Amino acid sequence: MAPVELDALAVREQLFHQRVRECLICALLFASLYILCHFVIRHFKKQTDFAAVHDDEDAAVDRIALGLCTFTLAVALGAVLLLPFSIISNEVLLSFPHNYYIQWLNGSLIHGLWNLVFLFSNLSLVFLMPFAYFFTESEGFAGSKKGIMARVYETSVVLLLLTLLVLGMVWVASAIAGNDAVSRQSLYDLWECYLPYLYSCISLFGVLLLLLCTPFGLSTMFTVTGKLLVKPRLLEDLDEQLNCTRFEEAAVSHRITSGKASCWLNLNMAMLREQLLSIQSKRKKLELRHRASPWQRNVGYPLAMLGLVALTGISVLIVCFHVLELLLDDAAMPRGMQDTALGQVSFSILGSFGAALQVVLIFYLMLSSVVGFYSSPLFTQLLPERQDTPLTKIIGNCVSLLVLSSALPVFSRTLGITRFDLLGDFGRFNWLGNFYIVFIYNMGFAGLTTLCLVKRVTWAVQEELICAFGLHKLPLPVPRSRPQGGRC
């Protein structure tokens, strides 16, 4: 065999082994995420007893819908880890460029992961989750033989009608927004035009949802941290408060028992019981603070609050700097990157430390957006409960988390949290090239986050100072009412 043919064969073998290695790595990563999400859903799902023989069909439907929810949640978790994994991979390749054991970590693998997440996100949002919901609610067409296939037929027909409706709406929107005759007259380019356009609309909705939920979540995290951690003692006598609370609890308890024993006392027992419960709750909190060590009181709480303030402030500063870059340089606009040559340059001016800070900020913003999403009045009902969450609510949670997580890479790049450009179809969204949308989005995030941070920190400091100096015990001034007809 000629040397040229041997070289070509060696190149083909190398490409084949590289592709097999990438497929194995992607399969292992997704299997790990799937197993983790399976245990998470099992932790929250309401246990259903399928004991009778005729309930085998319902049990099969439950298992199929549960598998689809687990798949969707795994895709959502993969979308969250996508950008941090890419940033860390680039820094690892920069630090160890010639290490043999990390040669599998290359641009082709990262690009493949981005494409898989984009594909599975479309598949889950457009087909799998609607199928799971309609499948759990279906019973088969009237007059048809009962069974799994009858439910599958009914679900497929309903899903087909829904798909036609959504595609028609997307086609009308594309015809209104487009300027060429092709976008108005044909539906032939379904995969290359309409599905990315539909996902672009979903991603825009997810990014807007992140914009609204993240500042609210940041404010909620300050409140939750203050409730979970033990606050330091600032100019207060905790022993005196605890003794007074115990005496008050004993007095109310005695009034309840004496009211039951005597028929001469006219007491509102319901009000006394509510008062007793609130006093007991206050006593438990005081006992928890009393048992806490000085390290927990004086170090844990201040460090946690300072960490939240620092991360929030750094995020606002980065976004403000990105706004200035948008005004001065067109290169600051978010865009897609087709060349995935990793390990050449760091995506942060601070090197590895800046990359690690970017990863922490991405996770922090995602966590705050999830907290804000479940704390908002519109979505409070979706909050899952341990071993008491029905399957329909699990489907709603999976869809919501997938919308938030799939928009996270676009959200982070639009705000300038990272300079890692969007790979694959994530960079094909039309609205990413609109300067006014990107600029207003950055200004909105900076303004809302700064407002929430200032209000939360200011109110927290004011409340602590009022409680420390005992001003909350002072009686409020009662305005004097002027008699009618009196002189000023």
Side-chain angles (χ1 to χ4, degrees):
M1 188 176 293
V4 178
E5 295 179 355
L6 289 176
D7 294 339
L9 181 61
V11 171
R12 287 197 297 269
E13 290 180 354
Q14 184 177 1
L15 292 176
F16 173 77
H17 290 302
Q18 181 179 353
R19 183 56 58 87
V20 172
R21 182 172 62 246
E22 292 176 2
C23 292
L24 288 176
I25 293 174
C26 293
L28 290 175
L29 289 176
F30 186 78
S32 303
L33 295 178
Y34 188 90
I35 294 173
L36 176 62
C37 294
H38 175 76
F39 286 109
V40 171
I41 291 181
R42 284 292 184 182
H43 176 75
F44 290 103
K45 184 181 179 299
K46 184 177 182 180
Q47 299 296 328
T48 307
D49 186 17
F50 298 104
V53 177
H54 61 275
D55 287 339
D56 291 341
E57 178 184 340
D58 295 330
V61 171
D62 186 84
R63 287 194 299 268
I64 294 173
L66 186 65
L68 295 178
C69 292
T70 307
F71 180 87
T72 303
L73 189 60
V75 174
L77 185 57
V80 173
L81 299 175
L82 189 60
L83 192 56
F85 181 76
S86 303
I87 297 173
I88 294 174
S89 300
N90 182 73
E91 296 300 323
V92 169
L93 291 175
L94 273 175
S95 302
F96 308 99
H98 303 294
N99 195 325
Y100 174 77
Y101 296 100
I102 60 172
Q103 293 302 313
W104 57 272
L105 198 61
N106 50 29
S108 178
L109 173 64
I110 302 300
H111 196 279
L113 289 174
W114 281 72
N115 288 334
L116 286 177
V117 170
F118 183 83
L119 174 63
F120 289 158
S121 299
N122 279 278
L123 184 64
S124 299
L125 286 175
V126 179
F127 295 106
L128 296 185
M129 286 294 95
F131 182 86
Y133 177 75
F134 293 133
F135 192 50
T136 55
E137 299 294 328
S138 64
E139 296 180 356
F141 291 110
S144 62
K145 185 179 179 180
K146 300 298 181 181
I148 295 294
M149 294 309 300
R151 293 193 176 192
V152 172
Y153 292 150
E154 181 186 356
T155 305
S156 301
V157 171
V158 175
L159 188 60
L160 178 61
L161 295 176
L162 179 63
T163 303
L164 293 177
L165 176 62
V166 173
L167 286 179
M169 295 173 61
V170 172
W171 181 74
V172 171
S174 177
I176 294 175
N179 296 322
D180 52 344
V182 179
S183 63
R184 300 188 186 97
Q185 297 178 1
S186 71
L187 276 172
Y188 297 142
D189 204 6
L190 180 64
W191 181 259
E192 294 294 332
C193 179
Y194 292 100
L195 284 182
Y197 183 79
L198 175 62
Y199 191 74
S200 177
C201 297
I202 296 175
S203 177
L204 178 60
F205 172 74
V207 170
L208 293 177
L209 190 62
L210 283 173
L211 175 63
L212 298 176
C213 293
T214 302
F216 185 71
L218 293 174
S219 177
T220 307
M221 289 179 66
F222 280 96
T223 305
V224 173
T225 303
K227 292 181 179 180
L228 295 179
L229 298 180
V230 180
K231 296 182 181 180
R233 302 177 185 178
L234 183 63
L235 300 178
E236 63 177 349
D237 191 352
L238 196 59
D239 295 329
E240 181 181 356
Q241 294 183 15
L242 186 58
N243 292 330
C244 292
T245 306
R246 288 171 178 171
F247 289 147
E248 187 177 1
E249 180 184 1
V252 175
S253 178
H254 178 70
R255 291 183 64 185
I256 293 176
T257 55
S258 62
K260 291 181 180 179
S262 176
C263 60
W264 298 100
L265 296 176
N266 186 13
L267 299 177
N268 191 345
M269 303 303 297
M271 183 181 297
L272 286 177
R273 291 191 183 94
E274 292 180 0
Q275 184 180 1
L276 180 63
L277 291 177
S278 68
I279 295 174
Q280 289 176 349
S281 177
K282 180 180 178 181
R283 176 182 57 79
K284 291 179 181 179
K285 293 180 180 179
L286 290 175
E287 289 178 351
L288 180 63
R289 295 182 60 188
H290 190 268
R291 289 194 302 266
S293 63
W295 288 98
Q296 291 178 315
R297 293 193 306 267
N298 303 322
V299 178
Y301 180 81
L303 285 181
M305 298 302 292
L306 286 177
L308 292 178
V309 172
L311 291 176
T312 308
I314 292 173
S315 302
V316 174
L317 290 177
I318 291 176
V319 174
C320 292
F321 183 73
H322 188 246
V323 169
L324 295 178
E325 285 185 326
L326 290 173
L327 296 174
L328 300 177
D329 189 5
D330 184 65
M333 290 288 294
R335 64 193 64 200
M337 180 177 60
Q338 300 300 326
D339 184 15
T340 55
L342 299 179
Q344 296 182 357
V345 61
S346 178
F347 292 99
S348 175
I349 58 177
L350 300 178
S352 300
F353 175 77
L357 182 61
Q358 290 177 6
V359 172
V360 172
L361 289 178
I362 290 172
F363 283 125
Y364 175 65
L365 293 178
M366 184 62 195
L367 177 62
S368 62
S369 65
V370 173
V371 173
F373 176 80
Y374 285 113
S375 301
S376 60
L378 294 177
F379 305 104
T380 306
Q381 301 298 327
L382 279 178
L383 185 64
E385 300 177 2
R386 181 179 179 272
Q387 301 294 327
D388 196 26
T389 307
L391 188 57
T392 54
K393 185 182 287 189
I394 289 179
I395 294 174
N397 279 276
C398 291
V399 172
S400 303
L401 292 176
L402 182 59
V403 171
L404 291 174
S405 60
S406 60
L408 181 63
V410 184
F411 172 77
S412 303
R413 183 62 185 92
T414 304
L415 293 178
I417 301 298
T418 179
R419 297 299 181 87
F420 193 93
D421 289 324
L422 303 172
L423 296 177
D425 293 322
F426 280 94
R428 294 177 55 191
F429 300 150
N430 297 327
W431 58 271
L432 287 176
N434 193 316
F435 171 79
Y436 297 101
I437 294 179
V438 175
F439 180 78
I440 294 175
Y441 190 85
N442 281 262
M443 291 296 296
F445 178 84
L448 291 175
T449 306
T450 304
L451 180 62
C452 292
L453 179 62
V454 171
K455 291 180 63 177
R456 177 56 57 185
V457 174
T458 304
W459 288 353
V461 173
Q462 181 180 358
E463 182 181 358
E464 291 296 330
L465 290 177
I466 289 176
C467 294
F469 289 101
L471 299 179
H472 63 288
K473 300 179 181 179
L474 296 178
L476 295 177
V478 180
R480 295 182 179 180
S481 59
R482 221 176 26 177
Q484 297 182 357
R487 300 178 59 184
C488 295

